[in-house]
């Protein structure tokens, strides 16, 4: 299966057969959050997209090292080279240490990701913990003659890079003229030789709290330096996959390529993957537009645009119902449809346990497993996987109603397909039967019911009644049937 995996590469603008640099191993780097505010949908989408990529690569047998960074320094307002550091600004406004702000929002981000069932990455490096590596990167670009020092700051020399026949703009498809037109007029621009030059190191102004010593000035690294330095440190150079949101293609990823080529002579990675953006009721999401909804607000339903709370799995399912390269538009109607669809699949999975298998039933079910693998191998087509699961759910419901005959092997296969694709690869959880940890609850209840069954077999009615009554007192009803006891909350 692994050999046929196709990945759309933003750089070549086509699907390519995935071949890792080191057989059996995959190195993947994804740009993580800038931790100065609560997580929102713009954070959920790349996290969920690359969580599924991470899960699937592991499922098909790769040993994956997944690095997702935490930007806690250097990301300035307006995504430009001027303005205040986002975290330092928040710290000033809230009268906190900058690292207190970063820690607080990092913790909040982790807890939201946990609720969305996003697996933690293998390594989560912080930009502030890798200043030495970034200084070394800047020095090597200076040594290559592709950067210059200006008033204590260091800038990447885009024109020089172009003259050396490298293409700044290859990833985004932008041309220099166009970049010039979109470069904002901000103070500090006079330090640059050319408007498209970007900062590798910034000299800190006297009031700037976050600063480190360097050969050029006391200051801080430019935003793009951290991913180049940390990706190479933990994954080697080049590595396999670099991911992130489409909004990062320019200038962030374009500049990452330039920095890596300038310092090493080769590109940072083989495959560039970008998830598309999320709109809300057809509009771009933005703080100034009043449609900026945090993940917590979705979970609690506390934003004025929301008709009701939406559970983490509803959000996850909704995101996976669209292909990661398509835009997603959030609306109450769409979320409610996702909520229904999700519970339909969960109910079908549970109904599998109620189907009486038919002896000698000739298998009429489709090869859902293969269909789902084909979809995943086609650039992670999660909407297609979900549509196959809906088809499978129809078969299951038909069998539960006695309209379709299934053998025990069919039932086992359907259960396997759901376990593999819905739960392991798409990373969905059955929230309805959870109340915390559903699997643990099921396991514990099975142990208790086994002890009770043993007591009954020994005619120890005192113990068996005590277990039933104690469970009753906790709100758990035990029903005795001919195939043993079942339970319900
Ligand atoms: Zn990055």
């Amino acid at each position: 299966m692994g050999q046929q995996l196709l990945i759309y590469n933003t750089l070549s603008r086509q699907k390519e057969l995935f071949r890792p640099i080191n057989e059996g191993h995959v190195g993947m780097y994804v740009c993580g959050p800038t931790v100065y505010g609560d997580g929102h949908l713009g954070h959920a989408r790349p996290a969920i997209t690359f969580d599924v990529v991470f899960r699937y690569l592991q499922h098909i047998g790769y040993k994956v090292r997944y690095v997702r960074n935490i930007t806690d320094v250097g990301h300035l307002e307006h995504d430009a080279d001027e303005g205040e550091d986002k975290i330092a600004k928040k710290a000033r406004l809230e009268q906190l240490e900058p690292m207190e702000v970063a820690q607080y929002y990092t913790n909040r981000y982790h807890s939201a990701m946990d609720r969305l069932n996003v697996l933690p990455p293998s390594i989560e490096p912080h930009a502030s913990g890798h200043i030495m590596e970034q200084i070394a990167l800047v020095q090597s670009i200076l040594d290559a003659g592709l950067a210059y020092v200006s008033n204590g700051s260091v800038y990447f020399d885009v024109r020089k890079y172009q003259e050396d026949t490298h293409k700044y703009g290859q990833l985004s498809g932008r041309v220099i003229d166009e970049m010039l037109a979109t470069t904002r007029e901000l103070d500090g621009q006079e330090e640059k030789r050319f408007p498209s030059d970007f900062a590798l190191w910034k000299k800190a102004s006297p009031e700037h709290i976050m600063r480190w010593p360097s050969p050029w000035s006391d200051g801080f690294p430019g935003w793009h330096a951290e991913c180049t330095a940390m990706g190479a440190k933990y994954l080697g150079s080049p590595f396999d996959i670099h991911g992130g949101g489409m909004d990062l293609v320019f200038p962030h990823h374009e500049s990452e390529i330039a920095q890596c080529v300038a310092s090493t002579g080769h590109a940072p990675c083989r495959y560039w993957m970008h998830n598309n953006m999320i709109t809300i009721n057809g509009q771009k999401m933005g703080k100034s537009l009043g449609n900026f909804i945090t993940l917590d607000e979705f979970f609690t339903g506390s934003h004025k645009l929301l008709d009701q709370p939406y559970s983490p799995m509803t959000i996850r399912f909704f995101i996976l119902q669209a292909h990661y390269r398509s835009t997603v538009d959030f609306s109450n109607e769409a979320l409610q449809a996702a909520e229904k669809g999700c519970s339909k699949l969960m109910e079908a999975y549970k109904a599998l346990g109620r189907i009486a298998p038919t002896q000698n039933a000739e298998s009429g079910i489709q090869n859902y497993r293969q269909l789902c693998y084909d979809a995943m191998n086609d650039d992670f087509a999660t909407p297609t996987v979900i549509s196959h699961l809906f088809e499978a759910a129809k078969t299951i419901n038909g069998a539960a109603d006695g309209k379709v005959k299934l053998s025990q092997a069919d039932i086992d296969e359907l259960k396997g397909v759901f376990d593999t694709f819905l739960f392991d690869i798409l990373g969905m959880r059955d929230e309805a039967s959870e109340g915390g940890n559903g699997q643990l609850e099921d396991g514990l209840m099975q142990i208790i019911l086994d002890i009770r069954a043993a007591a009954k077999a020994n005619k120890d009615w005192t113990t068996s009644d005590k277990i039933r009554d104690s469970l009753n007192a906790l709100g758990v009803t035990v029903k005795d049937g001919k195939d043993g006891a079942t339970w319900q909350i």
Side-chain angles (χ1 to χ4, degrees):
M1 298 162 284
Q3 306 91 306
Q4 285 131 37
L5 174 61
L6 293 174
I7 294 183
Y8 182 88
N9 191 346
T10 311
L11 193 61
S12 66
R13 291 162 179 79
Q14 60 191 12
K15 286 181 197 170
E16 294 177 20
L17 194 60
F18 177 66
R19 285 189 206 282
I21 292 165
N22 298 303
E23 184 152 355
H25 293 258
V26 178
M28 176 165 82
Y29 187 97
V30 175
C31 296
T34 300
V35 281
Y36 72 109
D38 264 339
H40 52 82
L41 287 174
H43 291 116
R45 195 165 192 202
I48 290 170
T49 297
F50 292 100
D51 182 51
V52 170
V53 172
F54 181 39
R55 286 166 181 267
Y56 188 63
L57 289 170
Q58 291 184 99
H59 175 80
I60 59 178
Y62 289 113
K63 190 166 174 7
V64 185
R65 183 179 293 163
Y66 174 19
V67 180
R68 189 186 66 205
N69 67 306
I70 296 279
T71 297
D72 57 357
V73 66
H75 193 168
L76 304 183
E77 294 262 291
H78 322 298
D79 290 355
D81 288 338
E82 293 303 326
E84 203 169 354
D85 182 287
K86 286 185 176 184
I87 290 151
K89 181 180 179 185
K90 189 86 178 180
R92 184 173 54 76
L93 295 176
E94 299 191 1
Q95 295 190 310
L96 296 167
E97 268 297 314
M99 281 304 134
E100 207 171 358
V101 173
Q103 188 65 58
Y104 176 78
Y105 288 111
T106 301
N107 294 347
R108 305 260 301 165
Y109 176 75
H110 284 159
S111 116
M113 290 306 116
D114 201 40
R115 296 190 68 185
L116 290 166
N117 209 22
V118 168
L119 298 172
S122 325
I123 304 175
E124 193 173 50
H126 289 237
S128 65
H130 296 77
I131 301 294
M132 300 302 292
E133 288 83 351
Q134 296 178 73
I135 289 175
L137 170 73
V138 176
Q139 188 60 58
S140 68
I141 300 172
L142 278 166
D143 293 347
L146 290 167
Y148 55 90
V149 183
S150 177
N151 190 27
S153 292
V154 184
Y155 292 96
F156 191 92
D157 193 336
V158 171
R159 246 181 338 188
K160 183 84 200 315
Y161 182 72
Q162 295 293 78
E163 282 163 17
D164 289 3
T165 71
H166 298 300
K167 279 179 269 159
Y168 186 69
Q170 55 175 318
L171 184 69
S172 57
R174 293 197 192 200
V175 289
I176 290 282
D177 281 354
E178 200 181 321
M179 285 177 222
L180 293 181
T182 54
T183 304
R184 289 180 189 84
E185 288 300 322
L186 292 160
D187 32 297
Q189 288 289 347
E190 71 279 1
E191 288 180 357
K192 298 183 185 181
R193 290 183 188 163
F194 188 58
S196 293
D197 293 350
F198 56 89
L200 296 170
W201 185 266
K202 288 292 285 183
K203 180 182 172 179
S205 53
E207 68 279 7
H208 203 99
I209 332 166
M210 294 161 92
R211 54 168 70 218
W212 289 266
S214 82
W216 317 289
S217 63
D218 275 11
F220 52 93
W223 171 35
H224 319 303
E226 61 175 285
C227 293
T228 301
M230 299 190 296
K233 177 174 169 116
Y234 295 110
L235 298 173
S237 186
F239 53 86
D240 297 297
I241 301 173
H242 194 316
M246 221 174 232
D247 53 335
L248 296 180
V249 170
F250 185 87
H252 187 49
H253 291 162
E254 198 74 76
S255 304
E256 275 192 50
I257 294 177
Q259 290 171 158
C260 187
V261 170
S263 60
T264 67
H266 59 74
C269 65
R270 280 202 179 169
Y271 304 88
W272 283 95
M273 290 181 68
H274 293 97
N275 62 274
N276 214 320
M277 298 291 99
I278 288 183
T279 52
I280 297 204
N281 297 316
Q283 266 195 314
K284 198 174 173 243
M285 198 168 63
K287 280 191 170 146
S288 55
L289 296 171
N291 64 0
F292 188 87
I293 311 175
T294 69
L295 290 169
D296 270 354
E297 285 167 337
F298 272 105
F299 301 159
T300 56
S302 60
H303 192 279
K304 63 176 176 5
L305 288 178
L306 301 175
D307 292 349
Q308 59 168 85
Y310 297 100
S311 76
M313 284 305 105
T314 300
I315 305 281
R316 184 171 179 114
F317 191 72
F318 184 75
I319 286 176
L320 293 175
Q321 269 188 313
H323 190 268
Y324 74 91
R325 287 190 285 115
S326 312
T327 52
V328 161
D329 186 47
F330 268 80
S331 65
N332 282 291
E333 298 71 36
L335 278 168
Q336 285 153 15
E339 186 175 64
K340 263 190 211 138
C342 183
S343 73
K344 216 183 240 179
L345 291 182
M346 295 300 168
E347 288 308 315
Y349 181 72
K350 279 183 222 157
L352 274 168
R354 297 198 303 268
I355 300 171
T358 314
Q359 297 287 327
N360 309 321
E362 76 265 39
S363 176
I365 65 166
Q366 291 205 64
N367 191 346
Y368 292 112
R369 186 179 294 272
Q370 192 54 52
L371 290 170
C372 289
Y373 277 124
D374 292 346
M376 286 305 290
N377 285 337
D378 184 14
D379 194 30
F380 310 96
T382 57
T384 314
V385 172
I386 291 172
S387 72
H388 292 314
L389 292 174
F390 276 127
E391 282 298 315
K394 253 191 229 163
T395 308
I396 294 167
N397 293 333
D401 294 345
K403 289 175 198 147
V404 177
K405 289 191 188 352
L406 293 178
S407 67
Q408 188 59 51
D410 289 336
I411 296 170
D412 293 346
E413 174 57 14
L414 287 165
K415 183 175 183 301
V417 167
F418 272 67
D419 284 339
T420 303
F421 290 96
L422 185 62
F423 298 111
D424 292 350
I425 294 171
L426 298 188
M428 294 297 297
R429 280 196 314 226
D430 184 6
E431 291 170 320
S433 62
E434 268 177 359
N437 188 330
Q439 270 182 329
L440 178 65
E441 203 171 79
D442 287 348
L444 290 173
M445 279 306 298
Q446 201 49 53
I447 293 171
I448 295 167
L449 293 181
D450 286 348
I451 294 171
R452 181 163 169 269
K456 280 174 79 172
N458 291 330
K459 300 199 179 347
D460 178 359
W461 310 119
T462 322
T463 303
S464 79
D465 287 352
K466 184 175 184 323
I467 290 174
R468 188 197 55 208
D469 295 344
S470 307
L471 287 173
N472 261 331
L474 291 171
V476 181
T477 328
V478 176
K479 267 193 212 149
D480 290 303
K482 62 175 170 29
D483 299 326
T486 55
W487 62 279
Q488 221 178 7
I489 298 176

